[in-house]
């Protein structure tokens, strides 16, 4: 029986609304709500996790080390109704919590009657957590550049091909609800990067969803028909993430197939990028944007002026200023290419 079925049965036995959260106070399962509901319960369901203030309030009652149900009084300031916290412990380890709104009708005897279901919930949550941990470790091995490590990964992948790897920058200030991702998506919430493997058809949506959870950036690798080649997609995802963090027009989610020249530049080490960017380092801000836009438009002054929203004479003045600062002639094809590459490389130098 899965956690959703167990929490529904617990609610039926106890005659009250119930939710299950993991150890980090992230919502895992909840039953249909009826009767009184407080702001904390509502936000937990809508946002999938409790706030830091509420978490601190609950932990102040020793729930992290409790071995029996803990009755927690109401707090009007926090918008907390009285509730019962039942630690979900399996083999001496607390894997999460069962929460019950306490109207006074849930007696100790009724809690004792629900104890077998609580034990099943604890075992199911422990199995889910351990399964995620095992899959996460194996996923990292699957992404290794070392063929021997990949061969020993031992991951039974149930992800429909073609697949894409996804790299998302983690954040110490956010927790990603990876359990809410579609079935068939594997995830390892690592630090500093969260790694994912998703069906190619879902990769962009998954990357955007996880990126939004962290508020950072994400890179998507190219699709692979063979799961054994997923490590190559992971390499591409790392490069795409680098571009997403450095180049505004490609962020916050960058896909490897869409990166154009950055597919080459993102592979270069910082020393090579610095050398390539050198001709453009004398340009900054508005001047750099003007020249890059001009070169992106193939040297067409009219299109460039329109894209920038400036008069042609303003454009010509800026281009002349850029030539003076760089010592390059924009009428010379090779020198123009050198400056164009330098402008593209510059944002990547420090990423």
């Amino acid at each position: 029986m899965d956690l959703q079925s167990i929490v529904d049965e617990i609610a039926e036995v106890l005659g009250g609304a119930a939710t299950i959260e993991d150890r980090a106070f992230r919502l895992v399962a909840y039953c249909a709500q009826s009767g009184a509901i407080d702001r904390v319960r509502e936000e937990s369901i809508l946002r999938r996790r409790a706030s830091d203030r509420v978490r601190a309030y609950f932990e102040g009652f020793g729930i992290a080390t409790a071995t029996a149900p803990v009755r927690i009084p109401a707090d009007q300031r926090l918008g907390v109704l009285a509730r019962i916290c039942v630690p979900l412990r399996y083999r001496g380890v607390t894997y999460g919590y069962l929460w019950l709104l306490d109207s006074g009708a849930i007696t100790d005897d009724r809690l004792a009657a629900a104890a077998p279901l609580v034990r099943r919930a604890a075992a199911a949550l422990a199995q889910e957590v351990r399964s995620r941990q095992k899959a996460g470790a194996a996923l990292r091995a699957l992404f290794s550049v070392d063929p021997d490590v990949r061969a020993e990964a031992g991951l039974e992948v149930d992800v429909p091909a073609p697949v894409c790897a996804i790299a998302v920058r983690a954040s110490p200030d956010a927790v990603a609800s990876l359990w809410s991702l579609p079935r068939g998506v594997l995830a390892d919430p690592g630090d500093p990067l969260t790694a994912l493997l998703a069906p190619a058809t879902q990769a962009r949506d998954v990357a955007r969803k996880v990126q939004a959870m962290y508020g950072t950036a994400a890179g998507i690798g190219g699709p692979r028909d063979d799961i054994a080649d997923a490590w190559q997609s992971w390499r591409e995802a790392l490069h795409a993430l680098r571009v997403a963090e450095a180049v505004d027009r490609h962020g916050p989610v960058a896909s490897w197939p869409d990166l154009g020249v950055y597919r080459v530049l993102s592979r270069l080490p910082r020393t090579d990028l610095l050398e390539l960017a050198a001709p453009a380092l004398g340009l900054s801000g508005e001047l750099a944007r003007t020249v890059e836009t001009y070169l992106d438009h193939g040297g067409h002054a009219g299109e460039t002026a329109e894209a920038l929203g400036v008069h042609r004479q303003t454009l010509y003045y800026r281009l002349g200023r850029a030539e003076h600062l760089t010592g390059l002639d924009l009428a010379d094809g090779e020198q123009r290419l050198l400056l164009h590459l330098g402008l593209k490389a510059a944002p990547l130098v420090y990423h």
Side-chain angles (χ1 to χ4, degrees):
M1 183 180 292
D2 62 18
L3 282 167
Q4 185 59 59
S5 299
I6 296 172
V7 78
D8 287 339
E9 191 169 340
I10 289 174
E12 184 176 348
V13 169
L14 295 177
T19 61
I20 291 177
E21 294 178 343
D22 66 12
R23 220 166 22 184
F25 288 76
R26 296 172 296 198
L27 187 64
V28 176
Y30 65 95
C31 68
Q33 301 295 303
S34 62
I37 182 172
D38 61 5
R39 187 169 70 246
V40 172
R41 174 65 61 85
E42 182 179 359
E43 290 184 354
S44 177
I45 293 173
L46 292 177
R47 300 182 182 180
R48 311 296 295 188
R49 66 176 300 205
S51 70
D52 291 339
R53 288 181 64 205
V54 170
R55 175 175 176 169
Y57 175 71
F58 290 152
E59 288 182 331
F61 290 90
I63 63 174
T65 56
T67 58
V70 178
R71 294 184 182 270
I72 299 175
D75 187 310
Q76 293 184 350
R77 186 171 46 88
L78 289 176
V80 175
L81 292 176
R83 63 211 328 111
I84 301 170
C85 174
V86 185
L88 297 178
R89 294 174 61 82
Y90 182 74
R91 295 184 177 176
V93 177
T94 300
Y95 285 92
Y97 307 102
L98 168 69
W99 295 97
L100 306 160
L101 291 180
D102 188 7
S103 64
I106 303 178
T107 64
D108 290 344
D109 288 342
R110 294 182 69 181
L111 285 173
L117 286 170
V118 171
R119 288 194 292 271
R120 287 164 66 184
L125 184 57
Q127 182 179 9
E128 184 175 312
V129 169
R130 292 175 178 179
S131 177
R132 286 203 304 265
Q133 291 173 340
K134 182 179 179 181
L139 184 59
R140 296 287 179 166
L142 185 69
F143 287 164
S144 173
V145 296
D146 188 331
D148 292 334
V149 173
R150 294 199 302 272
E152 295 174 1
L155 179 62
E156 294 182 5
V157 178
D158 187 21
V159 183
V163 298
C164 290
I166 302 167
V168 185
R169 180 72 62 188
S171 169
D173 301 320
V175 176
S177 51
L178 300 179
W179 66 87
S180 65
L181 296 175
R183 289 187 178 276
V185 175
L186 298 179
D188 177 25
D191 181 15
L193 299 180
T194 287
L196 302 107
L197 186 68
T201 55
Q202 299 179 28
R204 198 174 294 268
D205 288 342
V206 169
R208 286 172 177 162
K209 184 173 184 178
V210 179
Q211 177 273 324
M213 292 174 185
Y214 286 121
T216 53
I220 308 170
R224 293 297 188 280
D225 291 324
D226 190 337
I227 200 72
D229 296 328
W231 69 275
Q232 296 173 346
S233 182
W234 174 247
R235 299 293 106 189
E236 295 167 353
L238 294 176
H239 293 312
L241 173 61
R242 185 183 185 188
V243 176
E245 293 179 315
V247 184
D248 289 343
R249 71 184 182 89
H250 282 294
V253 178
S255 179
W256 177 256
D258 301 333
L259 295 186
V261 69
Y262 288 106
R263 292 175 62 167
V264 176
L265 296 177
S266 62
R267 296 177 184 269
L268 298 179
R270 183 173 179 271
T271 51
D272 290 346
L273 283 169
L274 189 58
E275 182 179 353
L276 193 58
L281 295 182
L283 306 179
S284 60
E286 186 176 75
L287 200 55
R289 187 169 72 91
T290 296
V291 177
E292 186 171 3
T293 303
Y294 173 71
L295 296 175
D296 284 346
H297 284 81
H300 293 288
E303 293 179 7
T304 304
E306 184 178 355
L308 293 172
V310 300
H311 192 276
R312 281 200 186 198
Q313 288 303 119
T314 301
L315 172 63
Y316 292 141
Y317 169 78
R318 292 179 183 175
L319 294 177
R321 180 67 177 158
E323 288 182 320
H324 174 73
L325 291 173
T326 63
L328 297 174
D329 181 4
L330 292 178
D332 182 288
E334 188 169 325
Q335 293 186 37
R336 187 164 61 237
L337 176 60
L338 186 64
L339 183 55
H340 202 184
L341 285 173
L343 287 165
K344 298 296 184 186
L348 295 174
V349 169
Y350 299 104
H351 285 81

